Amino acid sequence: MSKVSGLPRQPFAQDAALVGSRFKVYTERQFDQISALRSLPREQRFAMRVVANVLPFRVNQYVIDQLIDWERVPDDPMFQLTFPQPGMLAPEHFDQMADLLAGGADRETVRLLAREIQAELNPHPAGQQVLNVPRLNGLTLEGMQHKYRETVLFFPSQGQTCHSYCTFCFRWAQFVGDKSLRFSAKEADRLHAYLQAHTEVSDLLVTGGDPMVMKTQHLVDYLEPLLRPDLAHVHNVRIGTKSLTFWPQRYVTDADADDLLRLLERLVKGGKHVALMAHFNHWRELDTEICRTAIRRIRDTGAVIRTQAPLLAHINDDASIWARMWRMQVCVGMVPYYMFVERDTGARRYFEVPLARAWAIYREAMQQVSGLARTARGPSMSAGPGKVEIQGVTEIGGERVFVLRFLQGRNPDWVQRPFFARYDEQATWLDQLQPANGESHFFFEPEYKEACRKGDGLRHTWQVS
Ligand SMILES: *Cc1c(COP(=O)(O)O)cnc(C)c1O
């Protein structure tokens, strides 16, 4: 299939021309079967295997054939997005794993070292596992998070994988053997019971992994009941997904693609705002005909596609990439939503960009686009206390400062309150920032620390157990 360059070409390819794409996936055990890799130096292939034994690796044929520009490997951003790179591990970790593999160690030995290294990579950032798990009638609801008052996150067990894995994924830990986000067969009932009991919840955000790896029938079971009168307060249904990048066939040629679109349409007709929260890191991801076809088919259902992504060294740390991506997204009817800061987990050492530089890139990209693309907020850190946006750099009383605000807060009262941190050119995360003006702490810290100490999250009036 030929690529569409820059802007959409009309008319789109007939769907019939796209039939026949079959999903084929490779993990670290099938490295040798990826023919595109055979032209790479032996050493480079070995280095990728070393990293893939610690961090998750999974890539499919569509990504290999249609997204990666093999002439530009290893610098190609789509290659960096999916294939492990030596710099993703600390040198000492890399060497330890390389020695084991080169010495022909058995699987169990390799697995044990992998576990050790993984434990040092902050596998559960922002206290996700402890602080945000909701309860119903005294039971904790595994597979759900309720951090911000109006939005419940739901992780359906059938959707805890992806069509390919991103090398920088902040949920990487669950793909390397941590099954603690799995839950029981009655999960749909529990989800609906929880939502029914929480009329303050206006948004359900189905996430993963990628919910779009599920068969449509599962999505029907989870989402169709939202049309019931007792769940009418759940106005907005969001689905977080990378499938428009990794497997747009999901909406075009998969056997249950049409059923999926009909489900979205029923939700829209039933009065819901349906939003696909699409993860796009680079404009190249939306530059294939089948992706454009998928976008058009989704929009035809009345669903909205909003886009979000982290800012990453080696992939998109360049204002012109973001500006071009946002312009193309607006052009095909998608709405830019968030620019994130790479989280403090996994391969962050390889991808992280200092906050000062992240803000400069955001600002420069914003300046290159019209107001229609300026809907993207950020750069935003999804940290323990909430989503903190870097609004800018300025001077107050002779001190250089970051201007910050909560876009979302564990306590809703924190939202949209400006606060200041001492400017720091190197800092890459909230916990590296110091309050400005000689103050001893940020305004939210006493309350947040108390919640962490108690270990069961902030018990707001809206979080009755
Ligand atoms: C980002 C996020 C949401 C959604 O926040 P919005 O600002 O409404 O998009 C909900 N829950 C969690 C845990 C989040 O990180």
Side-chain angles (χ1 to χ4, degrees):
M1 196 186 313
S2 66
K3 296 214 172 174
V4 185
S5 66
L7 298 170
R9 193 170 58 201
Q10 297 290 346
F12 285 99
Q14 291 300 302
D15 293 351
L18 304 167
V19 173
S21 325
R22 197 173 58 87
F23 186 72
K24 173 151 181 47
V25 75
Y26 304 90
T27 68
E28 90 278 1
R29 278 178 236 179
Q30 290 105 31
F31 242 100
D32 297 336
Q33 295 169 29
I34 304 175
S35 53
L37 290 182
R38 291 197 189 124
S39 57
L40 300 182
R42 228 185 140 74
E43 238 169 73
Q44 195 181 342
R45 277 182 291 159
F46 177 70
M48 289 196 288
R49 270 188 52 223
V50 170
V51 178
N53 270 283
V54 178
L55 297 168
F57 168 71
R58 183 177 162 91
V59 69
N60 71 58
Q61 199 68 48
Y62 168 75
V63 176
I64 292 171
D65 292 343
Q66 303 259 336
L67 295 185
I68 295 174
D69 179 353
W70 289 93
E71 310 260 286
R72 294 181 53 208
V73 164
D75 296 334
D76 180 68
M78 299 297 95
F79 183 71
Q80 297 279 330
L81 173 72
T82 47
F83 279 84
Q85 308 298 323
M88 290 174 187
L89 294 181
E92 62 274 20
H93 290 157
F94 184 92
D95 291 344
Q96 284 171 338
M97 185 53 85
D99 288 347
L100 279 195
L101 294 182
D106 58 86
R107 283 199 75 79
E108 185 56 14
T109 313
V110 170
R111 202 184 64 86
L112 285 177
L113 177 64
R115 285 283 171 278
E116 250 173 62
I117 300 174
Q118 285 156 2
E120 288 184 44
L121 299 176
N122 189 23
H124 300 294
Q128 292 181 65
Q129 300 257 299
V130 216
L131 290 180
N132 311 327
V133 181
R135 291 181 206 161
L136 186 67
N137 305 324
L139 277 181
T140 51
L141 301 178
E142 306 293 333
M144 285 171 63
Q145 285 181 29
H146 192 181
K147 179 171 180 178
Y148 306 130
R149 183 177 49 195
E150 61 279 3
T151 304
V152 163
L153 261 58
F154 179 62
F155 302 73
S157 59
Q158 306 89 342
Q160 296 313 307
T161 185
C162 299
H163 293 103
S164 290
Y165 290 150
C166 301
T167 40
F168 53 82
C169 180
F170 76 91
R171 296 224 171 98
W172 62 276
Q174 64 174 302
F175 305 130
V176 289
D178 186 339
K179 299 285 193 288
S180 55
L181 286 170
R182 291 279 166 96
F183 50 126
S184 74
K186 294 194 112 181
E187 57 194 337
D189 293 342
R190 282 196 203 165
L191 168 69
H192 301 136
Y194 185 79
L195 291 174
Q196 189 186 19
H198 287 264
T199 51
E200 76 281 5
V201 174
S202 59
D203 290 47
L204 171 66
L205 172 44
V206 186
T207 182
D210 193 324
M212 289 305 186
V213 304
M214 290 193 284
K215 292 271 175 270
T216 297
Q217 186 53 49
H218 293 304
L219 284 161
V220 170
D221 294 343
Y222 293 125
L223 299 181
E224 191 118 44
L226 299 175
L227 295 171
R228 284 178 354 209
D230 60 329
L231 294 174
H233 57 282
V234 184
H235 299 297
N236 308 316
V237 182
R238 308 194 220 179
I239 304 171
T241 186
K242 185 84 184 166
S243 54
L244 279 169
T245 295
F246 286 152
W247 193 244
Q249 289 82 345
R250 180 70 188 90
Y251 309 92
V252 184
T253 55
D254 273 10
D256 56 354
D258 290 354
D259 296 337
L260 171 60
L261 298 174
R262 279 193 284 264
L263 168 66
L264 300 182
E265 201 168 58
R266 284 199 299 282
L267 292 169
V268 171
K269 289 209 168 118
K272 303 295 185 190
H273 173 107
V274 178
L276 245 76
M277 307 304 290
H279 179 183
F280 284 112
N281 302 93
H282 195 287
W283 55 264
R284 288 254 307 276
E285 294 162 58
L286 50 144
D287 205 20
T288 66
E289 285 190 8
I290 189 151
C291 179
R292 298 298 176 89
T293 304
I295 292 166
R296 180 173 51 77
R297 299 193 92 208
I298 293 163
R299 293 192 61 229
D300 281 349
T301 69
V304 179
I305 308 174
R306 300 180 192 275
T307 63
Q308 53 189 15
L311 171 61
L312 306 149
H314 303 285
I315 293 180
N316 63 13
D317 57 337
D318 176 340
S320 63
I321 293 175
W322 284 87
R324 183 167 179 181
M325 177 170 79
W326 284 335
R327 274 196 300 263
M328 282 168 65
Q329 288 173 350
V330 168
C331 202
V332 294
M334 302 195 285
V335 184
Y337 190 67
Y338 273 139
M339 174 200 271
F340 291 119
V341 176
E342 163 68 354
R343 287 202 192 192
D344 54 341
T345 182
R348 76 176 299 192
R349 63 191 331 280
Y350 188 74
F351 290 111
E352 68 188 359
V353 174
L355 301 175
R357 200 166 154 249
W359 172 69
I361 289 171
Y362 173 82
R363 178 165 178 260
E364 205 189 307
M366 279 283 150
Q367 289 174 342
Q368 294 178 39
V369 298
S370 90
L372 291 182
R374 290 185 192 170
T375 47
R377 288 164 299 160
S380 168
M381 291 173 272
S382 291
K387 279 189 169 65
V388 177
E389 183 190 55
I390 302 139
Q391 290 212 277
V393 175
T394 190
E395 263 188 34
I396 297 181
E399 185 185 9
R400 196 136 199 246
V401 298
F402 284 119
V403 183
L404 307 164
R405 68 165 171 170
F406 279 96
L407 296 174
Q408 279 289 8
R410 191 174 280 286
N411 180 343
D413 188 46
W414 300 346
V415 173
Q416 301 286 346
R417 258 203 239 178
F419 63 106
F420 305 98
R422 219 185 289 157
Y423 180 78
D424 179 338
E425 199 168 84
Q426 311 293 322
T428 56
W429 198 250
L430 185 63
D431 61 2
Q432 296 162 10
L433 295 179
Q434 300 299 323
N437 198 23
E439 283 173 23
S440 61
H441 58 78
F442 293 117
F443 77 90
F444 57 89
E445 278 182 316
E447 197 181 334
Y448 179 60
K449 282 189 178 143
E450 178 63 9
C452 293
R453 196 186 58 75
K454 283 199 245 148
D456 70 345
L458 292 190
R459 295 279 124 201
H460 293 299
T461 48
W462 52 273
Q463 262 180 340
V464 283
S465 50

